[in-house]
Amino acid sequence: MPVSAATETKLREAMARLLAGEPLHTDGALTKENLAREAKVSHATVHRAETILDEWNAQVARPVLRTPGEVQRDETIADLRKRLRDATTRATELQGKLDALATVTANLYYENLQLKKTSAQGQGRIAALPASGPWLE
């Protein structure tokens, strides 16, 4: 289904602005997505305008994949994702240690209660070590 004459005019004007390096609505990268944005039409509309696409492909033999700003942004995102993975791994390790410590503490608390209970019933004896002896010398 071809596009209307008004849409074709919008696409031609947008293509001219992009090729001249004077975009109004995009970052200026020579992509079909930017052509659609610059013309304020949908991406599907661009693909229905076969005549415009042929002209675009003739003018833009090798599209610019990413601008330097986009490259820097992508590198920053990759670095932040790596740092997040590392931090998540470290947090998981620490959480495991914390869980183990909580288990040991709970067991010691329970054993302490049992010892106090046994001692209170008079069934067990708690003996104090002498203050002097050969082991202290």
Side-chain angles (χ1 to χ4, degrees), residues 12-93:
R12 283 188 199 285
E13 290 171 356
M15 182 170 32
R17 285 193 304 271
L18 285 173
L19 292 173
E22 300 171 351
L24 299 176
H25 309 291
T26 65
D27 61 4
L30 298 177
T31 64
K32 292 175 187 170
E33 182 67 30
N34 274 355
L35 178 60
R37 286 183 185 155
E38 190 67 28
K40 293 189 176 183
V41 298
S42 73
H43 194 69
T45 300
V46 171
H47 286 281
R48 284 196 316 268
E50 293 176 9
T51 306
I52 300 293
L53 277 182
D54 291 340
E55 291 175 23
W56 178 263
N57 290 333
Q59 295 283 337
V60 184
R62 189 176 57 104
V64 176
L65 298 179
R66 295 187 303 173
T67 64
E70 291 171 328
V71 170
Q72 182 179 1
R73 177 203 62 205
D74 292 345
E75 288 172 355
T76 301
I77 289 171
D79 178 55
L80 290 172
R81 284 184 177 157
K82 181 186 179 307
R83 290 172 52 192
L84 179 61
R85 268 192 313 275
D86 294 345
T88 302
T89 300
R90 179 75 176 133
T92 301
E93 291 171 4

Side-chain angles (χ1 to χ4, degrees), residues 110-131:
Y110 177 75
E111 287 176 5
N112 191 27
L113 287 178
Q114 292 302 317
L115 285 172
K116 285 182 181 179
K117 184 190 261 186
T118 303
S119 177
Q121 294 174 354
Q123 297 173 351
R125 290 190 175 171
I126 298 178
L129 292 175

